[in-house]
Structure formats: C-alpha cells, structure tokens
Amino acid sequence: MSGDSVKTMNMIEAINSALDVMLGKDPDVVIMGEDVGYFGGVFRATAGLQKKHGKTRVFDTPISECGIIGVGVGMAAYGLRPVPEIQFADYIYPGLDQLVSEAARMRYRSANDFICPMTVRSPFGGGIFGGQTHSQSPESLFTHVCGIKTVIPATPYDAKGLLIAAIEDNDPVVFFEPKRIYNGPFTGYYDRPVEPWSKHDGSAVPEGYYRIDLGKASIVREGQAVTVLTYGTMVHVVKAVVAEHGIDAEIIDLRTLLPLDIDTIEASVKKTSRCMVVHEATRTSGFGAELSAQVQERCFYHLEAPVERVTGFDTPYPHSLEWAYFPGPVRLARAFDKIMKD
Amino acid sequence: MGQYKRDNLAPLQLHVPEPKFRPGDKADFSDIVIPEVDAIPRPDEHAAPADIHGLAYGLVRVMGDDAKASGSWNPGLSAETLRLMLRKMLTLRAFDDRMFRAQRQGKTSFYMKSYGEEATSVATTMALHRDDMCFPSYRQQGILITRDYPLVDMMNQIYSNRGDRLKGRQLPIMYSAKDYGFFSISGNLTTQYPQAVGWAMASASRADTRIAAVWCGDGSTAEGDFHSAMTFAAVYNAPVIFQVVNNQWAISSFSGFAGSERTTFAARAIGYGIAGLRVDGNDALAVYAAMQWAANRARTNNGPTLIEYFTYRGEGHSTSDDPSAYRAAEEYALWPLGDPVERLKAHLIALDEWSDAQHEALVAELSDEVKAKQKEAEQNGILGHGLHHPFETMFEDVFEEMPAHLKEQCAQMLEEQRDKFGPEWEAR
C-alpha cells in the first residue's frame, strides 16, 4: 500500500501531505485562509489541495484574521474540523479575541455543549530578514490562554505527525510552523550554506497516515552535562553549537508547549543538574520564563547552576541587525560557558 | 502638542454625538419618521439587493394605529399563532420580572431584562424552523422561551446551582442549549457574528437545509467582527440572517456612538451588497414577516439579509445599571412605536380573538407558573448558598481530557477546601 511508503520531504511537503491525508480521511476537515486555495499558499503548504479535494474543502478567504478564525469557530460548532491558516503569526492578533475569548473557552463555558476542534496553522519565527512583521514568535501569548494547545514542530517527520494529531484533537490547537526551516534545518550559522532536508534524518516521511501524540517531548540528543529545553528552529541551532563545541548536552525538543511534557523535562534536569532554555521569542514573560520557573520548582535541589535563558532581545524584531538579535551560536556559546562554570 | 494654523482656514471641530434628551429633559420623539403601513411593499424573496435599497431606510410595518394588520407584509398568521406569540412574549416578561426581583433579593449576582424588545426574539424565532441555529446576544432569552426550553433550567443557570447545565461557570443569562438551536452566549460582544456565518457556510458546504440567525445590539455593530461577518457572508453567499436590535442605547451611550446620526443600521447592508431591511421592532407581525422573508431568501440560496429592528430598551441595561443617570425618565412611555406586547394584544382584540379579561387571566396564569418554576429551581440552590456543582468540576472541560497541570491544581484546590471546611467537608 502506497500509504506505507516513505518519501524524502521538506517541512512544507510534510505539512502538505498531512493536510492531504486528513482531507482524504475525514470529510469534516476544511482548509481556508488567505491565498490557500487556487494558488496553494504563499509558502506552497496547500499546493494542489483545492484541485484534488474541491473548492468547498479548500478555499481562499477575505483578508480578515478575525473573520477567518471567527468563521472557523462557527464551522467547528456546526461539526466540521476547520484548519484555518494565518499567513504569518505576526498577523494573528486581529484573530486573538476569537481565539482567546471564544475558541479556547467554548467547551468550558458551554459545559461540553459546543466544542472547537480547530487547528490554526501559522508560519512563525525569524532568521529570514522578515523584519518586524514576518519574524515574530508569539507562542507565549497562547500558552498563557487556558483551553488552547500550542504545538511547534522542528522536523518534517514531526510536522506531519503532529499536524495530523492536532487536526484530530477535539480541542483548539495553535500550530506554529518555523518558516526558517521549511526548506532545511537552519543551524544559526547564517554565513554557511543551508543543508537541504534530504540530508537530515527527520526528512524521511511516511506518505500515509501516522500521528505523533501531542504533549510528548522528544530527546533529540542524549547527554549528561546540561539539559537544553527548546523547540522549532532553535533545536537545530542548539544541535550545531553543541556539536561545534563538543558539549555533552541533552537536547529536548518540546514539540508541544502546552500541555507540557514536564516528566521528560524533570527526569533530564535531575540527571544533568543544569538547565538552559532557548527560544527566539523575546525574553520577558516569554515561554522560557515558565520553563525556568517549573524547573526551579521541581528540580531545585538538583540544580548546580541557575537556569539560563537564551532568547531574543526585548525589542521588536529588527531588519538590518537581524544577526545581532537572533539567539545564534555566539550567544549560545557564551551561555554554555557560563552555565558549565557555575 | 502643537497646533498647526493657517490664517485662511477656520479651526477644525471634533463632533462628539450627544443624545437629544438627558435626565430632567422632556423627551420628544416627534421627529422620528414613521412611514405608512406598506409604504414599501414586500419584494419578491429573490430580489437583488441593489433593487431594494429603499427598505434599508424605510420601516416595515404591518399593524397600523388602529391595531389592524394590512399590506403586502402581513404574514396572515392564524389567531391561534398570534395567541401563542402573545403568550411567549408575556412569559418572557413574567420571567424577566421574577429574575430581576431575585437579583434584588440577593439570590443571584446579575440579570438582564429584554423589556420592550420581546418581539425581536419571540416573533423572529417563530418564523424560523426549530432546527435553525440561533446565535444570540445576551438579550434574546425569548428564543429559549419560544422553543420551550425548560424555565427551571434557565433559572438554574441564573442561580449557578447544582442543577445548572453550565455547572456554575458562566455569568447568569449566558445560556447555552445546543439541542434547542441556541448557541453558547459569550460576554465578548459580536463574536457570534462571524461564528454564525461560519455555521451557515458549513451548512451550505454540506448541502444541509438549515440556516443560521444571529443577533446583536446597535452598539455592538461598531465591533470589527460585525464587518468581517458581513464581508464573509457576502463573499460566500452564506445562508445567514443578521439582526441588529436597535434599542437606541448601549448601556449609557445612545446609538449615535454607533453611527446612527448619519444612516440606519440596515443601510450598512448596502455597502456589502446584501439585502437590508429596517423594521418596526415593536410590531411583532412586521418582525415575523421580515424574518420569514429573510429565512426564505437564505433557504433558497439567495444569500444573507441584515434586519434592523427599530425598538427601545424599556429598562436599564442590567441589574448593575441605573438609566435615570443618563436618559430622560419618560422616554419609554413616549416611544412612538409603543410597546410590543400591548400592540399585539390590541391587534388580537381588534380581531375579536382576545379580550382584556382573557389577557389579565393569562398574565396571572404565567406569573403563577413562573413563580412555581422559581420555587422548583430554588430547591437546587441559589448563588452562594452552597448547593453548587462539585468543586472539581472547575477544572473539567478546559480540555477534552484534563492535562497533568490541571490535575495538580485540582488536587491543590481540594486540599484548600479541606483546610477551609475541615476533614469532613466532602461528606457535606
């Protein structure tokens, strides 16, 4: 059966495959967003899907994020399983009221009378000279909202399996796709050529249906000296820096920020006694603050150094000074030096 | 803050709307234009929106000053249907009175009446099919009453007691009743607008036959969701009926703060290319007729309609509001379109199908019925008197399955209750 065959895919192809599989599997799945229909999406994530599945399943929308998400909530209330796309995470804010006040609370406020099995996909993150409004990482705005699950993949294989699980989940999910690694695992060494996904393990993707359960982290590198908690593009940046400097780090790709796989985190930090949290998003009140607090609460007597946070700076995302802003190899190396000395 | 002046131009002026009457003023509504019955006859339900712009500026009316029904909009309802409509409106009024009083007695925290607007929920619902989905705001409790939702369940919700279907999680009157085609009410205004469009789009995409109807107030039309909903409905020709209950007031702000000084709310439809009707909201027959027209359009793939019900909020915004602080005292008594219940009663009497004596008897009967239901509901508890859902239900339904961090927090809360009430508290 062709569904069992494995193909080399980049992250865009893996996401496209997940959507294609779910459109074929479940007649309630509907995809909509700006430019997602005929054109196939500005990043090609929905290429070919309208032609294959029809205009009532995959369609273009007006340029209105509050409309896209609000309409999605109504479709979900009817019984569909909408998968709206917000073209850039930087543009999700007009839809925030519908996500925070409506989608997230529908099940709770109606005591299960109405639910919202909706998955909002959105490209996020920087490293592409996207400037202020094509680079943001607003995940902590969503992890702070009770009732929403927040998922961020770091490989094509995970992207497909997690997206399928998100679409099948009966709760609203915000699915952030790190656009910097759509085509290859960016290492943060912006002056070196980017390898394509085909040279990476995570690009072997089954063509058919499979899922990766939400709420489960992945240990991408085992180590003894320090635990690094990260997700998205930064998984690859951390891996490269760790290899370059020969650090025996245990790298955990969280994959789902909420619900958080705290057991995996706790076990790792208790083993290594050191913990570093890494994300592109700005520092203050970022998701790293939550990770740091939880590690401190649960692993206090095991810690040999303060929990270190390596993040973007507390400024809007700049254009020309992107590589001074991005938490790249130099910032990471300094942080490793510091945490290992303590 | 510099001022930039050119000698040859008069200074600019900022216009801040002001209602005509404030406390202490004598209201005078003589400038409100009330067209004749049938001033614009009922168009065909397939009419192109561009051909019926006049209806967005007119006022659909069926009952004249003599309380008789006439004209092309007359829905021709049977006396039996009219009596049922009157009964539902009176039930709503009796319910509102009891629950308002219950709040004043400290049995619950909050209530909102729909006094003067009863036709806009009761008559509209009667013109819909039972399985059409309603997306109400907080002032359409008449939908539930019209669809025979148990009054005791409404009261249980208001009391947040152990019988509350929403488990005490929601502010009173934020009902949810999927089985009755009544969408979960949100405190966030007009969010239900694009949701109704999405529901209608889903229905159309599944080749269903059900349609969606959505309500908001005049003030809430200023929300961005109103615009996005109208745009999406027009783009996808969604089978949805938009309704604006223009009761002149958004808490203390008169409708001028939503733009009514320049145009009607129904006229907003014109810019989106959808049908717009302005209707006498206190004429239950006109309200019914407008909804029936719009529902027929939606059902035959002729697309969405926006209906403005021109009415008046007879009482305060809520139990937390005192309207005498911002508007003239006699406004409702002087309102030129009268009272919807009194007008329907007069109509039935004019038909020789009703009498003052029958009316009085019905009011008394409904008052007794609501009182009896109230007693029944209070058996399940009133707010703050201990008869509520189990504590742990606070953590349920945030997600389909309770994640680990919520289980942890739930255990903490239960420990706190033990500290507070002693080791035997669970047996209470």
Side-chain angles (χ1 to χ4, degrees):
Chain A
M1 176 180 165
S2 70
D4 298 321
S5 68
V6 172
K7 215 178 138 186
T8 301
M9 295 188 199
N10 65 28
M11 193 180 277
I12 287 285
E13 290 162 339
I15 286 162
N16 185 278
S17 174
L19 297 172
D20 185 30
V21 165
M22 289 312 295
L23 283 163
K25 183 170 186 279
D26 184 347
D28 291 334
V29 171
V30 173
I31 291 169
M32 58 171 170
E34 297 157 20
D35 306 299
V36 307
Y38 183 86
F39 178 57
V42 295
F43 291 103
R44 319 305 302 148
T46 54
L49 297 180
Q50 185 181 73
K51 194 170 182 192
K52 182 169 173 187
H53 298 281
K55 285 208 292 187
T56 61
R57 306 285 307 284
V58 182
F59 55 88
D60 294 312
T61 64
I63 302 174
S64 168
E65 288 77 13
C66 69
I68 291 167
I69 296 176
V71 158
V73 173
M75 288 179 159
Y78 177 91
L80 299 189
R81 211 167 265 281
V83 188
E85 176 184 299
I86 300 299
Q87 202 161 78
F88 288 87
D90 314 65
Y91 302 129
I92 205 167
Y93 309 124
L96 217 55
D97 188 34
Q98 285 287 347
L99 271 169
V100 173
S101 309
E102 302 293 320
R105 307 224 184 112
M106 195 59 68
R107 181 191 297 278
Y108 190 75
R109 80 175 194 221
S110 72
N112 259 323
D113 202 21
F114 293 93
I115 62 169
C116 189
M118 173 171 73
T119 301
V120 179
R121 289 181 42 245
S122 190
F124 98 129
I128 57 151
F129 278 110
Q132 295 188 23
T133 56
H134 297 81
S135 308
Q136 294 168 31
S137 300
E139 64 271 21
S140 68
L141 296 181
F142 298 92
T143 55
H144 190 56
V145 176
C146 24
I148 288 182
K149 294 178 178 172
T150 302
V151 178
I152 299 174
T155 68
Y157 179 84
D158 282 0
K160 179 171 176 180
L162 289 166
L163 182 53
I164 287 174
I167 294 170
E168 289 187 330
D169 198 284
N170 286 326
D171 293 313
V173 178
V174 173
F175 192 89
F176 282 131
E177 301 164 4
K179 57 187 167 300
R180 174 67 253 201
I181 57 170
Y182 268 158
N183 293 308
F186 178 65
T187 60
Y189 292 92
Y190 60 91
D191 44 356
R192 299 177 191 169
V194 175
E195 284 196 341
W197 273 114
S198 56
K199 296 191 175 175
H200 189 278
D201 287 348
S203 68
V205 179
E207 287 193 277
Y209 171 91
Y210 69 94
R211 51 178 284 159
I212 297 172
D213 287 344
L214 306 185
K216 297 268 186 294
S218 152
I219 298 175
V220 298
R221 184 194 186 283
E222 291 194 8
Q224 304 296 324
V226 54
T227 298
V228 183
L229 306 178
T230 190
Y231 46 91
T233 301
M234 296 312 295
V235 169
H236 304 283
V237 180
V238 171
K239 268 173 80 177
V241 171
V242 161
E244 186 116 343
H245 294 268
I247 299 160
D248 187 19
E250 180 143 299
I251 305 172
I252 298 180
D253 173 4
L254 300 176
R255 301 199 292 197
T256 302
L257 307 196
L258 198 134
L260 185 65
D261 185 356
I262 193 65
D263 293 342
T264 298
I265 294 171
E266 194 174 331
S268 176
V269 175
K270 283 182 174 167
K271 177 180 77 174
T272 64
S273 307
R274 286 181 167 83
C275 180
M276 183 190 289
V277 298
V278 181
H279 59 60
E280 282 183 70
T282 52
R283 185 178 183 88
T284 302
S285 304
F287 192 63
E290 175 64 27
L291 291 171
S292 175
Q294 290 212 33
V295 167
Q296 191 267 141
E297 286 160 8
R298 289 161 196 271
C299 309
F300 183 77
Y301 296 105
H302 292 80
L303 287 174
E304 291 184 20
V307 178
E308 190 70 22
R309 281 189 285 166
V310 180
T311 69
F313 293 128
D314 284 338
T315 72
Y317 207 107
H319 186 240
S320 68
L321 300 178
E322 171 147 60
W323 300 119
Y325 173 90
F326 188 88
V330 173
R331 197 172 307 156
L332 276 165
R334 286 168 63 93
F336 276 119
D337 275 354
K338 185 178 171 209
I339 202 168
M340 299 312 291
K341 269 181 204 147
D342 273 325
Chain B
M1 297 287 273
Q3 285 175 314
Y4 196 95
K5 288 192 175 177
R6 286 190 181 89
D7 291 342
N8 59 343
L9 287 178
L12 294 168
Q13 293 178 325
L14 178 69
H15 172 67
V16 179
E18 185 62 33
K20 290 208 176 78
F21 318 109
R22 286 297 194 185
D25 293 341
K26 174 85 177 156
D28 175 3
F29 293 117
S30 56
D31 62 325
I32 291 180
V33 179
I34 302 172
E36 292 297 306
V37 169
D38 225 28
I40 303 177
R42 186 183 194 275
D44 186 274
E45 283 137 353
H46 304 279
D51 295 338
I52 56 170
H53 284 180
L55 281 162
Y57 298 101
L59 197 70
V60 173
R61 299 176 69 218
V62 171
M63 283 189 268
D65 295 338
D66 56 359
K68 293 204 170 124
S70 62
S72 58
W73 286 95
N74 184 1
L77 300 177
S78 68
E80 193 189 349
T81 303
L82 292 171
R83 278 192 292 263
L84 178 65
M85 194 182 276
L86 183 66
R87 183 186 189 93
K88 293 297 182 185
M89 286 164 67
L90 284 169
T91 306
L92 170 53
R93 206 162 261 199
F95 185 87
D96 275 356
D97 283 342
R98 286 310 295 184
M99 291 298 100
F100 190 92
R101 196 181 310 176
Q103 192 277 339
R104 288 295 187 249
Q105 291 167 337
K107 292 175 176 174
T108 187
S109 60
F110 184 73
Y111 192 71
M112 298 176 104
K113 298 174 95 166
S114 59
Y115 187 70
E117 304 171 29
E118 290 89 348
T120 66
S121 57
V122 172
T124 51
T125 306
M126 288 179 70
L128 287 168
H129 291 170
R130 175 65 177 71
D131 54 4
D132 293 329
M133 183 59 86
C134 297
F135 290 77
S137 82
Y138 46 67
R139 225 182 286 281
Q140 279 83 46
Q141 56 269 52
I143 298 168
L144 286 174
I145 287 172
T146 304
R147 286 187 169 168
D148 296 318
Y149 188 77
L151 298 183
V152 171
D153 282 332
M154 292 175 75
M155 292 168 173
N156 286 339
Q157 198 281 328
I158 289 163
Y159 290 135
S160 283
N161 62 23
R162 62 184 173 188
D164 177 9
R165 293 192 190 194
L166 306 185
K167 303 186 181 179
R169 293 176 184 149
Q170 275 275 47
L171 194 67
I173 67 140
M174 304 282 185
Y175 311 103
S176 177
K178 191 177 182 181
D179 293 346
Y180 289 77
F182 188 95
F183 188 71
S184 160
I185 296 178
S186 168
N188 295 63
L189 297 178
T190 329
T191 48
Q192 71 275 16
Y193 253 59
Q195 292 165 1
V197 175
W199 197 96
M201 287 169 65
S203 182
S205 77
R206 302 306 293 265
D208 199 340
T209 55
R210 292 174 295 166
I211 61 173
V214 61
W215 285 253
C216 78
D218 46 290
S220 318
T221 61
E223 293 282 5
D225 277 334
F226 183 85
H227 167 66
S228 66
M230 299 291 277
T231 303
F232 274 70
V235 167
Y236 302 104
N237 201 43
V240 59
I241 299 157
F242 297 115
Q243 300 161 89
V244 175
V245 182
N246 175 9
N247 66 15
Q248 315 301 321
W249 292 94
I251 308 186
S252 74
S253 304
F254 87 113
S255 59
F257 282 97
S260 72
E261 288 181 331
R262 288 169 192 261
T263 188
T264 68
F265 292 99
R268 304 263 158 109
I270 293 171
Y272 296 95
I274 71 177
L277 306 177
R278 188 165 169 270
V279 178
D280 177 348
N282 292 3
D283 177 341
L285 301 186
V287 169
Y288 182 99
M291 178 57 117
Q292 191 181 46
W293 185 87
N296 287 343
R297 269 178 85 79
R299 275 187 229 293
T300 50
N301 283 307
N302 283 286
T305 300
L306 171 66
I307 307 173
E308 171 187 350
Y309 304 118
F310 196 65
T311 182
Y312 190 88
R313 194 191 75 208
E315 293 197 8
H317 168 70
S318 72
T319 48
S320 307
D321 181 42
D322 171 15
S324 72
Y326 52 79
R327 71 183 187 189
E330 299 300 317
E331 284 195 18
Y332 189 61
L334 298 170
W335 182 244
L337 298 175
D339 177 275
V341 172
E342 293 303 316
R343 283 175 70 190
L344 185 56
K345 172 191 168 192
H347 175 60
L348 270 160
I349 290 174
L351 289 176
D352 217 13
E353 291 285 352
W354 198 240
S355 68
D356 282 316
Q358 279 175 296
H359 195 82
E360 270 172 47
L362 179 59
V363 168
E365 176 201 327
L366 294 172
S367 172
D368 288 348
E369 183 193 335
V370 170
K371 226 180 284 181
K373 300 289 182 194
Q374 185 186 16
K375 273 190 189 146
E376 204 181 315
E378 288 177 5
Q379 300 295 308
N380 295 319
I382 57 176
L383 182 66
H385 284 241
L387 291 180
H388 50 70
H389 279 270
F391 285 84
E392 53 270 30
T393 59
M394 186 200 318
F395 294 90
E396 292 167 0
D397 304 328
V398 179
F399 296 98
E400 185 176 33
E401 311 226 345
M402 198 184 297
H405 68 289
L406 288 184
K407 284 182 186 159
E408 241 179 56
Q409 291 170 25
C410 183
Q412 177 193 333
M413 181 272 297
L414 292 174
E415 290 293 330
E416 289 168 7
Q417 301 314 309
R418 254 167 238 130
D419 284 356
K420 192 169 163 184
F421 298 116
E424 299 305 313
W425 72 278
E426 274 160 314
R428 284 156 19 109

